Amino acid sequence: HNRFGGILADDMGLGKTLQVITFLWSEFLESAPVENRRALVVTPASLVFNWMNEIEHFAPGLPATVVTGDVKERKALIKNAGEREVLITSYDLLKRDLKAYQNLDFAVQIIDEAQYIKNHGTQVAKAVKEIRSEFRLALTGTPVENRLSELWSIFDFLMPGYLHAYKRFRERFEAPIVQDADEQARQNLHLMVGPFILRRMKQDV
């Protein structure tokens, strides 16, 4: 509703995929038939069909399509995507098919294994950020505090500008925290990102 994005950072094995499918299913059920609730799930190639299998198992009524095949076939699938359909693609194919997505608006965009965009200068990171989407969610089972530049890149996808340009972020947060162990800078960053990160540990569940 407020156009904020977020990171679902639960430990591995706590059902991040199922939580997202539940969300996508609720979006489908609660939207009017004429309302655009189109969704895009971007995932590593090894997980594309796993996502499709999970959707078919847990939400069999949710229209979903794996964007696969040769270039012509993928373009046709993208062009003909319904306004309440979930498209599932890989990071590599999204990068290749980016032009085909330029005429589509998505209500929801999900990136799985969000560490794939940890280097904000890569073509993959730039590609996911070029998709027009109202709500963005990142999934990562690894601690998001591994590298602060990784955290910045994910937030640059979720809510561009929220953590400033990278140069400003580095000056205000990354350098003081990493180089000087500045506790106040760490606390300030935590206050900014904490509300947008959902993280459960296995020992807490």
Side-chain angles (χ1 to χ4, degrees):
H1 176 74
N2 293 306
R3 303 292 176 90
F4 294 136
I7 300 175
L8 181 56
D10 284 354
D11 261 354
M12 291 183 66
L14 294 183
K16 292 188 293 296
T17 302
L18 179 55
Q19 291 181 67
V20 172
I21 291 172
T22 303
F23 164 68
L24 294 173
W25 180 235
S26 70
E27 284 284 284
F28 176 78
L29 291 179
E30 293 172 9
S31 63
V34 295
E35 186 180 359
N36 177 18
R37 304 313 295 166
R38 186 184 294 118
L40 177 65
V41 176
V42 187
T43 183
S46 60
L47 297 178
V48 166
F49 287 100
N50 179 67
W51 268 88
M52 189 66 190
N53 291 337
E54 296 286 277
I55 288 174
E56 290 176 340
H57 179 72
F58 291 108
L62 182 63
T65 300
V66 174
V67 180
T68 188
D70 60 28
V71 175
K72 185 177 180 180
E73 290 171 327
R74 296 198 309 270
K75 284 185 176 179
L77 290 172
I78 296 166
K79 181 180 179 181
N80 297 319
E83 290 200 338
R84 303 172 79 216
E85 187 171 359
V86 178
L87 296 185
I88 308 167
T89 192
S90 68
Y91 286 99
D92 184 57
L93 288 181
L94 177 70
K95 182 177 62 177
R96 297 189 207 176
D97 299 335
L98 191 57
K99 286 186 178 179
Y101 286 98
Q102 289 179 345
N103 294 324
L104 285 185
D105 292 307
F106 290 90
V108 177
Q109 183 183 3
I110 312 289
I111 61 169
D112 194 7
E113 302 290 348
Q115 63 270 21
Y116 268 69
I117 68 164
K118 63 183 179 182
N119 296 320
H120 58 268
T122 62
Q123 288 184 319
V124 165
K126 292 176 180 177
V128 297
K129 296 170 185 180
E130 285 191 33
I131 298 295
R132 295 201 305 267
S133 48
E134 294 178 18
F135 172 73
R136 292 175 169 183
L137 183 68
L139 279 61
T140 173
T142 59
V144 294
E145 65 271 13
N146 279 350
R147 290 175 57 194
L148 290 183
S149 59
E150 176 181 337
L151 182 67
W152 181 87
S153 184
I154 294 174
F155 267 88
D156 189 48
F157 160 73
L158 296 173
M159 297 179 287
Y162 179 69
L163 289 183
H164 316 293
Y166 180 63
K167 182 180 178 182
R168 173 68 175 142
F169 175 81
R170 179 168 174 75
E171 292 171 351
R172 183 177 177 187
F173 296 112
E174 189 174 15
I177 293 171
V178 175
Q179 297 173 11
D180 306 324
D182 188 324
E183 180 62 21
Q184 187 59 57
R186 192 191 69 82
Q187 287 287 346
N188 290 342
L189 178 59
H190 176 73
L191 287 172
M192 289 187 71
V193 303
F196 305 105
I197 301 175
L198 297 175
R199 180 162 174 79
R200 297 180 303 162
M201 311 296 285
K202 284 184 178 178
Q203 62 265 28
D204 299 327
V205 176

